[in-house]
Amino acid sequence: MNTDERECIFCHIARGDHPADILYQDDQVVAFKDINPQAPWHILIIPREHRDSLNDAAPQDEALLGHMLRIASKVANHIGIAKEGYRVVINTGPRAGQSIFHLHLHLLGGRLLRWPPG
Ligand code: 5GP
Ligand code: ZN
């Protein structure tokens, strides 16, 4: 484990070393509620293995990325927002507002989501 991963808050959550309101987890991903929700439902889906951002996704990560998306739809269905609609977002890099540099997918729903986002 490198220094980044020792200090990364999402690695701590994935290892169970930091509390989080977890809705789903398996051997590849963890889904938990965002601490500062921007919608009635705001869930983060992270890979257990650290990657700084989508920019670090390698060809061998394609199955993992697909799994993250499928789990987003599974969680959306589980919490009852699949039919009314939800949004999946991956902020990548400082200009897109990425503040935690451990790859994560936002699942947002439970209200009308306007387009385009800011
Ligand atoms: P980003 O801005 O990088 O796309 O998203 C990071 C998200 O992580 C933010 O929405 C922020 O509220 C959330 N977050 C930051 N620290 C924590 C934490 O310790 N626990 C949880 N559950 N969410 C966090
Ligand atoms: Zn991490």
Side-chain angles (χ1 to χ4, degrees):
M1 199 185 304
N2 65 38
T3 312
D4 280 346
E5 292 168 50
R6 275 203 306 273
E7 290 171 3
C8 171
I9 188 74
F10 285 1
C11 280
H12 283 287
I13 288 174
R15 288 199 298 270
D17 296 342
H18 186 86
D21 197 344
I22 294 174
L23 283 93
Y24 172 88
Q25 58 184 318
D26 62 27
D27 58 336
Q28 296 184 76
V29 301
V30 184
F32 53 93
K33 288 188 184 171
D34 195 292
I35 205 168
N36 181 24
Q38 301 302 311
W41 287 104
H42 187 171
I43 294 153
L44 302 172
I45 299 169
I46 65 167
R48 285 190 182 276
E49 262 186 37
H50 183 95
R51 281 154 190 75
D52 282 357
S53 80
L54 194 59
N55 289 334
D56 287 340
Q60 57 268 30
D61 291 331
E62 284 182 5
L64 172 65
L65 294 169
H67 186 65
M68 288 171 68
L69 278 174
R70 198 179 65 78
I71 295 308
S73 81
K74 189 176 158 128
V75 171
N77 191 58
H78 175 71
I79 62 180
I81 60 169
K83 269 215 171 125
E84 69 186 38
Y86 58 91
R87 187 169 293 163
V88 163
V89 175
I90 301 179
N91 295 324
T92 305
R95 254 194 137 174
Q98 186 177 2
S99 59
I100 302 281
F101 282 80
H102 177 128
L103 173 64
H104 54 280
L105 177 158
H106 295 258
L107 167 62
L108 295 147
R111 67 167 168 83
L112 181 64
L113 298 168
R114 300 190 181 283
W115 190 261

